[in-house]
């Protein structure tokens, strides 16, 4: 059933006569059900002409710049980003000529003065197929997708001009039309294109999908349509570092809401002039949201940083824990880059033993995202076989939200260490036994000198929950500690020139230093342990 009623005829005839396409006419008439928009352009134009035949000779236009009697037929040129000339297809296009009849199928359509061809050329099956071909060639793995479009900001100006025209005409009939009564262009475009994408790619459109296909449109011919708004509403157009132009859609909409109707009419034609060409496609991009892999790692080397060690722009060591793990993940997930994080960190000369330290890796824009548990196990084994410096366990896919459990452990949980300590004075076993009896010792630590270049100066209170000593010789003993997460162990031993109080040296009344340090356990119950 044709969606327009007798009440809509006057507005429909007015818009059609001034160069507006059938789908935009539906939008201005408030047609909010999907089916009519999905008809082919030829069908829409034919149905609209039949509907308007009875009033062909009745309409008197009162517009400042009426279109010429002979409407020009323009050739459609797209050809951006691999999109061929979409007008060169078997079915051709239809155009309206001065008597309202349909032109031959080999002709090209007139470009809508409101949507600039978006609801004409770019929601037909031929264009959707072109986009889908690029999606399929991108190499991404996906089971659903979100489709996003970016329209030129001047479309908002043109829609505003058409709205003022229609509003004026309806006012003569004691009718009203609010801006919110017009169906949004993106909404109509979505109604038409989403089913076509689903059909062509065989997957559903899902607004929560991590896989996004985005199309950016431009229309160089009318790019200056927005410029007058800057002179009228300069405060709406402020430069931003990450924006190439001040004429963003949001800025334009802000100015349109602010400008008075009479001022707009003085600056911009109502109805808007008909353009010579349709929009061009600036880019078609495919991107997949990040996926996250977590696990626990052991570090067996005393010459391996957790992350790349770079000082004054110069790399000090050739590899790192994060890279030894992530390089394999990048390859298997076909990702562009990675971000490594963990529950705390150890120094380059500190080993991490026991059940390891929890870590998570964000894989940016991965092309492959579906792995079986067996494939993840094999990937874990591949990482472990590649280096004797590290070992990974409990490797698994996790959500972004789950990583919060790991971060909670950085300050709230306990960690266990084993240290080899040297003293300047000779010691006997009895000299260290008193340390075993100290429980929940509160210490105050200023930010260590060795990390002051990357951490703010602060005083931190930490708890040494327990200590256990093992005598080695008259200058060495082993100390096992259980501490609050975030405790600087090296500084607790040597005192850091008095910046950590109390410390092992002050407790024993000696000069003490740490020769070796191992992390024995990180008591964070994440990620979940897996069976080998």
């Amino acid at each position: 059933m044709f969606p327009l009623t007798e009440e809509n005829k006057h507005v429909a005839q007015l818009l059609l006569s001034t160069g507006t396409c059938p789908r935009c006419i539906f939008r201005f008439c408030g047609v909010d059900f999907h089916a009519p928009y999905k008809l082919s352009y030829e069908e829409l134009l034919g149905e609209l002409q039949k509907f308007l035949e009875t009033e062909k000779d009745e309409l008197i236009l009162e517009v400042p710049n009426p279109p010429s009697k002979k409407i020009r037929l323009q050739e459609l040129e797209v050809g951006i980003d691999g999109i061929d000339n979409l007008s060169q297809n078997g079915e051709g296009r239809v155009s309206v000529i001065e008597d309202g009849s349909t032109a031959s199928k080999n002709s090209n359509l007139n470009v809508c003065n409101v949507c600039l061809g978006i609801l004409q050329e770019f929601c037909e099956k031929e264009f959707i197929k072109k986009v889908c071909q690029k999606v399929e060639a991108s190499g991404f793995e996906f089971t659903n997708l979100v489709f996003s479009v970016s329209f030129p900001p001047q479309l908002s100006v043109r829609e505003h001009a058409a709205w003022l025209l229609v509003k004026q005409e309806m006012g003569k009939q004691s009718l009203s039309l609010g801006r919110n009564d017009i169906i949004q262009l993106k909404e109509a475009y979505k109604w038409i294109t989403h089913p076509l994408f689903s059909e062509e790619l065989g997957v559903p459109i899902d607004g929560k999908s991590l896989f996004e296909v985005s199309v950016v449109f431009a229309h160089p011919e009318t790019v200056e349509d927005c410029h007058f708004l800057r002179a009228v509403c300069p405060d709406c157009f402020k430069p931003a570092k990450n924006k190439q132009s001040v004429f963003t859609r949001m800025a334009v909409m802000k100015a349109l809401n602010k400008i008075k109707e009479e001022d707009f009419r003085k600056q911009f034609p109502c109805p808007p002039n008909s353009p010579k060409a349709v929009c061009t496609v600036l880019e078609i991009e495919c991107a997949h949201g990040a996926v996250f892999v977590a696990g626990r790692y052991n570090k067996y080397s005393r010459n391996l940083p957790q992350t790349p060690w770079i000082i004054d722009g110069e790399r000090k060591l050739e590899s790192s824990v994060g890279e030894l793990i992530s390089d394999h993940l990048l390859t298997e997930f076909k990702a562009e880059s990675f971000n490594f994080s963990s529950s705390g960190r150890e120094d380059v000369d500190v080993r991490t033993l026991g059940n390891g330290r929890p870590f998570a890796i964000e894989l940016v824009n991965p092309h492959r995202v579906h792995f079986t548990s067996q494939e993840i196990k094999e990937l874990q084994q591949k990482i472990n076989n590649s280096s004797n410096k590290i070992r990974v366990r409990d490797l698994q896919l996790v959500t972004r939200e789950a990583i919060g459990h790991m971060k909670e452990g950085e300050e709230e949980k306990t960690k266990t260490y084993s240290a080899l300590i040297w003293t300047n004075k000779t010691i006997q076993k009895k000299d260290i036994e008193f340390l075993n009896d100290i429980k929940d010792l509160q210490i105050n630590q200023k930010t260590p000198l060795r990390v002051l270049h990357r951490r703010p100066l602060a005083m931190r209170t930490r708890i040494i929950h327990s200590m256990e000593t093992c005598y080695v010789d008259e200058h060495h003993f082993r100390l096992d500690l259980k501490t609050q997460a975030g405790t600087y162990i090296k500084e607790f031993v040597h005192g850091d020139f008095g910046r950590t109080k109390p410390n092992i040296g002050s407790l024993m009344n000696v000069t003490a230093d740490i020769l070796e340090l191992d992390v024995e356990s990180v008591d964070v119950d994440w990620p979940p342990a897996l069976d080998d």
Side-chain angles (χ1 to χ4, degrees), residues 168-185:
Q168 183 182 56
E169 289 300 314
M170 291 181 68
K172 296 175 183 178
Q173 305 171 52
S174 299
L175 298 173
S176 63
L177 178 71
R179 285 293 302 270
N180 293 334
D181 296 328
I182 304 169
I183 303 300
Q184 293 294 310
L185 176 60

Side-chain angles (χ1 to χ4, degrees), residues 113 140 156 170 228 391 399 408 446 483 490 502 528:
N113 65 341
F140 282 94
S156 298
M170 291 181 68
F228 76 94
R391 185 172 181 81
T399 64
E408 289 169 5
K446 280 186 181 179
T483 74
K490 290 179 179 178

